Amino acid sequence: MTTTSIFPARYVQGAGALSLLTEEVARLGDTALAVVDPMVMPALEAALHAGGGVRVSMERFGGECSDEEIGRMAAAARACGARVVIGMGGGKPLDTAKATAHALGLPVVIVPTIASTDAPCSALSVIYTPEGAFKRYLVLPRNPDVVLVDTAIIAAAPVRFLVSGMGDALSTWFEAEDCKTSGAANMTGRTGGMTAHGLARMCFDTLLADGVAAKKACEARTATPELERIVEANTLLSGLGFESGGLSGAHAIHNGLTALAPTHRFWHGEKVAIGTLALLMLTRRPRHVVDTVYGFCEAVGLPTTLADIGLETVTDAELMQVAELACAPGETIHNIAGGVTPEMVFAALKAADAEGRRRGHRHAA
Ligand SMILES: [Zn+2]
């Protein structure tokens, strides 16, 4: 059987790793355009002062990864003669940097400053309208040339980012396992290899081993070894695991949940956690697995009930709408062996919520 797995070319991580940025960029070119979240501009300026040999023009990211913003960044890159594009910040500036580099045929260096999703390593940008509505996925021909993560910066960011990243990473093994079972395609359109499945499993095992300690470390703003391992799990293992292992129901249910307005103030990984719990019910995972995953969510503070993501008054009609969207043609939920219907997803959401509430009552008692 032919398998295909894809990876970023280089992954650099550690407390203070930002001091290596100019060295990493210099391997690719001597002039760079940096797409920067205004919040982290001072940190980038400090890193550029410290290191020499590379000319970097900084452009403030304007708020949306839109075709307009990508066009503006591409023009700025041409104007300064950039041979490399750098992206620094959260998901949207990083996606803008990836898309800008692709438009110009240049290499890209990605510097995530939060560990809230597994997007930094992927060959994908999500394009929005200037007003912030989803427009399309831009599948890129290759993954970033460098992903550089300074864990001292991650440790100083609000802990909810890290926990949300663990929610996104929590889905990775179960979705990859579903694809492995059914032989479904990963993000390349082909089946993933054993490497991807092995890394997805390592992602899950790392969450269980180090998640709670990493959360405590982030609360203390300290980059401990446990925090280092969780940042790598959230960013690299989860990224490789989803992209090359494949997605199934957790992200499809997440996508359905986004249709309900009260969920909008909750983050991607928080909704993916609920999607994961529903996936466990949908696919009838063994009791001990269900217990382990609920226990993990409770321990790190991820949602386990619909009320936890703003849906305390959700109606059956609304939940059915979520289920139908999760089962839309082309959704990754169809990677689950045996076929899935909206009625099954509806029942799984109900069962996941009931289990979360049952356990919550028991804990409260
Ligand atoms: Zn995700």
Side-chain angles (χ1 to χ4, degrees):
M1 180 172 57
T2 303
T3 64
T4 303
S5 304
I6 56 178
F7 310 88
R10 205 166 162 110
Y11 182 83
V12 183
Q13 182 189 298
L18 194 59
S19 65
L20 299 172
L21 178 64
T22 50
E23 187 185 322
E24 288 293 330
V25 172
R27 295 174 43 252
L28 301 167
D30 59 3
T31 308
L33 177 90
V35 179
V36 194
D37 183 325
M39 294 252 299
V40 295
M41 221 160 210
L44 179 58
E45 276 167 357
L48 296 176
H49 272 296
V54 184
R55 286 192 301 127
V56 180
S57 300
M58 288 195 270
E59 280 290 326
R60 274 169 184 273
F61 173 66
E64 286 302 337
C65 179
S66 62
D67 287 314
E68 291 76 4
E69 183 72 352
I70 294 160
R72 185 173 79 83
M73 292 299 176
R78 281 195 201 93
C80 73
R83 308 308 308 156
V84 187
V85 177
I86 301 168
M88 182 165 170
K92 288 182 179 186
L94 302 185
D95 275 9
T96 304
K98 286 187 213 172
T100 302
H102 169 61
L104 299 172
L106 296 177
V108 66
V109 176
I110 291 295
V111 186
T113 53
I114 50 177
S116 65
T117 74
D118 54 20
C121 293
S122 71
L124 183 73
S125 287
V126 186
I127 312 295
Y128 296 84
T129 68
E131 292 74 38
F134 172 80
K135 189 169 174 185
R136 68 176 192 282
Y137 290 111
L138 174 63
V139 178
L140 303 165
R142 63 181 211 226
N143 297 67
D145 297 86
V146 180
V147 176
L148 186 149
V149 188
D150 189 329
T151 47
I153 294 176
I154 306 277
V159 70
R160 189 178 166 193
F161 287 117
L162 188 80
V163 171
S164 186
M166 288 196 261
D168 199 20
L170 183 63
S171 69
T172 304
W173 163 243
F174 299 105
E175 298 198 270
E177 189 180 39
D178 287 342
C179 291
K180 188 176 172 219
T181 302
S182 66
N186 63 21
M187 303 307 278
T188 72
R190 301 199 194 107
T191 307
M194 68 174 184
T195 305
H197 297 121
L199 295 173
R201 181 70 213 190
M202 191 193 290
C203 181
F204 180 57
D205 291 341
T206 304
L207 291 177
L208 295 184
D210 296 315
V212 172
K215 184 189 180 187
K216 288 206 178 84
C218 193
E219 283 165 347
R221 302 167 74 92
T222 313
T224 61
E226 290 84 3
L227 182 80
E228 298 272 0
R229 289 196 288 271
I230 287 298
V231 171
E232 189 169 338
N234 285 9
T235 311
L236 183 62
L237 291 176
S238 182
L240 298 172
F242 104 79
E243 201 169 31
S244 291
L247 295 175
S248 72
H251 274 79
I253 292 169
H254 159 277
N255 293 345
L257 286 168
T258 62
L260 303 184
T263 70
H264 291 176
R265 63 195 163 90
F266 294 89
W267 294 351
H268 174 77
E270 294 167 341
K271 283 173 272 194
V272 170
I274 291 294
T276 303
L277 298 176
L279 176 65
L280 299 182
M281 299 300 179
L282 180 66
T283 51
R284 301 184 180 281
R285 290 311 210 272
R287 183 75 235 176
H288 70 273
V289 174
V290 172
D291 278 339
T292 299
V293 176
Y294 273 87
F296 172 78
C297 290
E298 288 157 359
V300 298
L302 280 166
T304 58
T305 66
L306 292 173
D308 289 345
I309 55 165
L311 299 179
E312 44 276 278
T313 59
V314 71
T315 64
D316 281 359
E318 287 169 333
L319 272 192
M320 197 61 204
Q321 185 195 352
V322 170
E324 274 163 5
L325 285 168
C327 295
E331 258 301 354
T332 52
I333 206 163
H334 302 298
N335 289 340
I336 295 170
V340 174
T341 64
E343 288 73 20
M344 290 162 69
V345 175
F346 174 86
L349 277 163
K350 286 272 199 186
D353 178 55
E355 176 67 4
R357 283 187 288 116
R358 183 189 72 76
R359 294 178 57 105
H361 285 308
R362 201 190 56 194
H363 281 212

